[in-house]
Amino acid sequence: MARTAFAILIALAAPALADETSTGDKLRILYSSRFNFTDDGLPLITVEIMGGQKEIHLSAPGGLVVRPDGAGGSATTLDGASAWTVRATDTAPAEIKEWSVVESLGPDDQTGVAQAIDRWKQRGFDPRTFEVGTLFGTGGETIDTREILIGVDAKAAVTAKRYGITARVHRELVKRPAGTVVAVSGGANVSNPSVLWFEPAKAGETITVENVPVGTGGSQLTTTTETRKYWGRVYVTLDQDGSLVAVNAVSEDKLLAGLVPAEMMPSAPDAALEAQAIAARTELLAKLGKRDPTDPFLLCSSQQCQVYAGAGHEDKRSTKAVAATRGVVLLRDGGGLADARYSASCGGHGEDNEAIWGGDPDPSLRGRPDSTDGEGISRVTDDNIDTFLSADPGESWCGRAKGAKGRFRWTERIETAQMDKLISAEFPKLGHVRGLEALARGRSGRVQKLEIRGDKDAVVVEGDLHIRRLLGGLKSTLFAITTEGGDKPTAFVFRGAGFGHGVGMCQVGAIGMAEAGKSRDQILGHYYPGTHVHRLY
C-alpha cells in the first residue's frame, strides 16, 4: 500500500490516522514533529501562511467546509458560505521558557549525556535535556536527525563567553496559548477551542487567504500584503501571543511544485530542475525534524525556511521535475540525510559550511573550485583574488551557464556619503568611513571579518549575511575592495563574484552542468561529495 511504503518510526509511533485531529487534544498534532501522510502516501506538511493576526479572511468559489475537529470530524457547510472571517476571543498567550544550549550529543550517547549533565551540575547549574529531530527508516535505510540538547537556565551569550563555547537558545513550550477561535459567515458562526479547520467544499479547488504579508515571512511585520491561494486545507489556530496564525496543510508534492520554480528558473534544463527538486526535498525533510517546538506548524514560510507562496506559482516543467523525483532525497554515504544547502551562484568557488554559519565542518559541504576541468585556485586569498576575479567565465560551470549574467561577476560602487549612512545606522560613533579591509576570508575568498575604519573609531564586523546587509545588500562577500580618492575617499568599489553564501549546490552552476549534458546525479555528486540519491517513498 502507498501509505505504508514509507515506514515511519518517528517518536516510536505509526503514521497518524486521517482523523487524528479529532482526538481530545486537538493541538497535539499541530505541535508534533511526526510526519502524517496523504492517501497517496506523501508526507503532509504544515506550513505557516501568516501569524500575529487579529482576524483572517478565507474563501473558496464553491464554499468552504468548516471542521472544528479536523479531518474526519464533524463538518459545517452552509449554502452560499463561500467566505469566512475568523477571530479569537478570551485568549491567553503561551508560556515559553528559553534555555541556553551548552552541548549537543547523539541520541545514543547516553554516557556522554550523563557526563555532560554532571559537568554542568558541578558548574552550579540545574541542566535539562531536550530531544529534537526525527527518526525514520525505509528500504534498509535508517535516517536519524535526532540530537540530545543539554540546556541550562542562563543567557546564551553570557554562558558562551564565560565558558568559551558556542551556545544557542532552545525554546520550551511550557503552556500552549488558549482561547476560542470563531468563524463568521453572514449571520452564522462556528466556534471551537484553539483551532478551526477549513477545506474546499468542491474537490480540486483552492482556498483563498487575504492580506498575506509578503517579503519578510508570515509572522514578521511588513506593510506589503497580497491575496494568495493554497492547495489542501487551512487551519487557523492561536499564535504564541494569543493572536491568530493561519497554516496550510499541504501534500509534499504540491508544496515542492510551488517551491522549486521559486528557487530555480523553470526554463532550466531537466537535469538541473531535478537536482533542485531533490535538494529542496532533502532540505524540507531535514527542517521538519528541527522545527521550533513553540510553533503550531512544521515549516515557516520565510526565507529562513524555504520560500512558499501557495498555489498558482507552479510551472509545468518544474512540476514535472518534482514528479520525476518523487520520494528521492540525498543521503550521506555513511547514512542519514545530507545537509543539502544551495545558493544562487558560487561565483566560481564554493565555500565551507563552517565559514558561513560556524559549527563543525561538514564533509559534504566543502568549498572547492566550480571548475569544468576539476582544477583551479584551491583557496582564494588577498594575494590571488584579482587573478580569480579575472578568470575566463568558461572555466567555471556557473560562469558558462546561460543564467550567469550579473551573478558570476559584478561591480558595486558606493559613494562615501552613502557608505557613511549605511555604517552609521549600526555604528553611529565611527564618524566618516575612511577605510575597509578584509581581515579574514573563507576558502572561497568570502569575507568573514571586515574592519571598518572611521575618522573617530574602528570596528570589526563578522558574518557573511551581516556584512552583506551592512554594505547595502551586496550579492555576496566574495569581493575585492578598492578606494577612490586617497586618504579622504570619495567612493568604495566592490569587485565581486557570486550571489549568495556559496555553500552546497551552486544553482547557476547546476544549470551550466545540465547544459553540458551532465545528469542530475552527476550534478549532485559534484556539489555534495560523499552522498548518493535514494528513493524514500
Side-chain angles (χ1 to χ4, degrees):
M1 298 291 289
R3 180 178 291 276
T4 58
F6 190 24
I8 301 299
L9 300 174
I10 299 172
L12 303 181
L17 298 177
D19 63 350
E20 184 174 350
T21 55
S22 63
T23 59
D25 184 355
K26 299 178 180 65
L27 292 188
R28 180 173 62 86
I29 191 174
L30 308 186
Y31 287 92
S32 172
S33 290
R34 58 186 285 186
F35 293 118
N36 301 293
F37 282 77
T38 67
D39 291 336
D40 295 330
L42 292 169
L44 184 68
I45 314 298
T46 55
V47 191
E48 173 198 26
I49 297 174
M50 59 180 175
Q53 304 298 307
K54 293 183 178 179
E55 64 178 36
I56 293 172
H57 302 273
L58 308 95
S59 62
L64 282 174
V65 177
V66 185
R67 295 187 183 274
D69 294 328
S74 60
T76 298
T77 305
L78 302 177
D79 290 338
S82 60
W84 293 81
T85 297
V86 187
R87 302 184 181 92
T89 62
D90 303 321
T91 62
E95 182 181 343
I96 296 173
K97 181 177 177 57
E98 292 190 346
W99 296 82
S100 175
V101 178
V102 292
E103 295 191 43
S104 174
L105 300 99
D108 300 321
D109 188 5
Q110 296 303 314
T111 300
V113 170
Q115 290 174 344
I117 291 174
D118 184 61
R119 180 162 47 251
W120 287 95
K121 281 184 176 179
Q122 291 181 18
R123 291 172 173 172
F125 294 96
D126 184 16
R128 283 273 306 276
T129 61
F130 302 92
E131 181 175 302
V132 297
T134 57
L135 170 68
F136 54 91
T138 180
E141 292 279 359
T142 299
I143 297 175
D144 192 349
T145 66
R146 294 176 299 161
E147 292 179 87
I148 303 297
L149 307 180
I150 308 297
V152 299
D153 188 6
K155 290 186 179 297
V158 175
T159 307
K161 184 175 181 180
R162 180 178 179 183
Y163 294 99
I165 60 175
T166 301
R168 66 182 192 272
V169 174
H170 174 77
R171 288 155 52 87
E172 177 191 13
L173 184 63
V174 178
K175 186 178 181 180
R176 296 170 187 156
T180 300
V181 179
V182 182
V184 178
S185 181
N189 71 76
V190 181
S191 62
N192 198 55
S194 303
V195 63
L196 283 173
W197 289 74
F198 299 84
E199 62 185 52
K202 294 184 178 180
E205 286 191 348
T206 58
I207 298 177
T208 297
V209 182
E210 298 179 10
N211 301 320
V212 178
V214 176
T216 57
S219 63
Q220 300 181 30
L221 294 177
T222 178
T223 57
T224 304
T225 63
E226 68 180 25
T227 296
R228 289 181 171 179
K229 297 180 180 181
Y230 296 88
W231 297 108
R233 293 178 289 154
V234 170
Y235 62 85
V236 179
T237 187
L238 298 172
D239 214 341
Q240 298 170 11
D241 61 358
S243 61
L244 292 173
V245 56
V247 182
N248 185 202
V250 62
S251 62
E252 176 247 67
D253 61 334
K254 293 289 190 184
L255 175 60
L256 286 178
L259 282 175
V260 172
E263 300 285 9
M264 179 178 286
M265 54 185 182
S267 59
D270 289 343
L273 289 173
E274 290 184 15
Q276 178 64 63
I278 293 170
R281 181 180 293 107
T282 304
E283 276 293 272
L284 175 67
L285 295 182
K287 285 172 180 172
L288 298 185
K290 299 298 177 68
R291 61 182 294 262
D292 186 333
T294 67
D295 287 331
F297 47 81
L298 290 171
L299 191 71
C300 68
S301 60
S302 64
Q303 186 71 38
Q304 65 195 34
C305 295
Q306 278 164 304
V307 179
Y308 176 58
H313 299 272
E314 304 87 352
D315 183 274
K316 290 182 179 179
R317 298 192 73 254
S318 51
T319 298
K320 177 184 175 183
V322 171
T325 61
R326 175 187 168 111
V328 178
V329 297
L330 198 63
L331 299 183
R332 301 181 190 277
D333 290 344
L337 286 171
D339 189 355
R341 306 294 183 102
Y342 44 84
S343 66
S345 172
C346 67
H349 204 299
E351 186 54 87
D352 294 336
N353 65 289
E354 69 274 17
I356 301 298
W357 302 294
D360 296 328
D362 187 327
S364 298
L365 297 176
R366 298 295 83 200
R368 58 180 182 173
D370 190 37
S371 58
T372 57
D373 58 6
E375 300 180 359
I377 296 174
S378 61
R379 188 179 190 97
V380 180
T381 66
D382 287 329
D383 293 333
N384 61 26
I385 191 168
D386 287 333
T387 300
F388 170 78
L389 292 173
S390 300
D392 182 355
E395 296 176 357
S396 296
W397 292 117
C398 62
R400 63 182 292 173
K402 291 180 181 178
K405 186 176 181 180
R407 297 187 175 193
F408 183 67
R409 294 289 180 269
W410 48 266
T411 300
E412 291 288 343
R413 183 179 182 274
I414 303 177
E415 294 187 359
T416 303
Q418 178 63 17
M419 182 64 75
D420 287 347
K421 183 178 179 180
L422 291 170
I423 302 303
S424 64
E426 184 171 343
F427 303 106
K429 297 181 180 180
L430 281 183
H432 297 296
V433 178
R434 293 292 184 243
L436 302 172
E437 182 181 358
L439 300 183
R441 294 182 182 272
R443 184 175 299 277
S444 71
R446 284 170 169 79
V447 178
Q448 294 177 284
K449 293 183 180 181
L450 179 71
E451 183 182 49
I452 306 172
R453 297 187 298 275
D455 57 5
K456 295 181 180 179
D457 201 356
V459 295
V460 175
V461 181
E462 299 185 37
D464 180 84
L465 189 56
H466 186 191
I467 293 171
R468 288 167 59 191
R469 287 177 172 172
L470 184 64
L471 297 177
L474 293 182
K475 293 179 181 179
S476 82
T477 56
L478 206 179
F479 54 70
I481 310 168
T482 56
T483 304
E484 296 179 356
D487 294 337
K488 292 185 178 181
T490 57
F492 298 91
V493 180
F494 299 85
R495 185 179 172 217
F499 195 162
H501 51 67
V503 178
M505 186 174 71
C506 172
Q507 292 167 304
V508 175
I511 292 172
M513 293 186 71
E515 289 171 346
K518 303 296 183 181
S519 69
R520 74 184 192 194
D521 290 3
Q522 288 175 312
I523 294 171
L524 293 170
H526 172 69
Y527 290 111
Y528 305 104
T531 67
H532 62 278
V533 296
H534 179 80
R535 187 178 296 278
L536 285 179
Y537 47 88

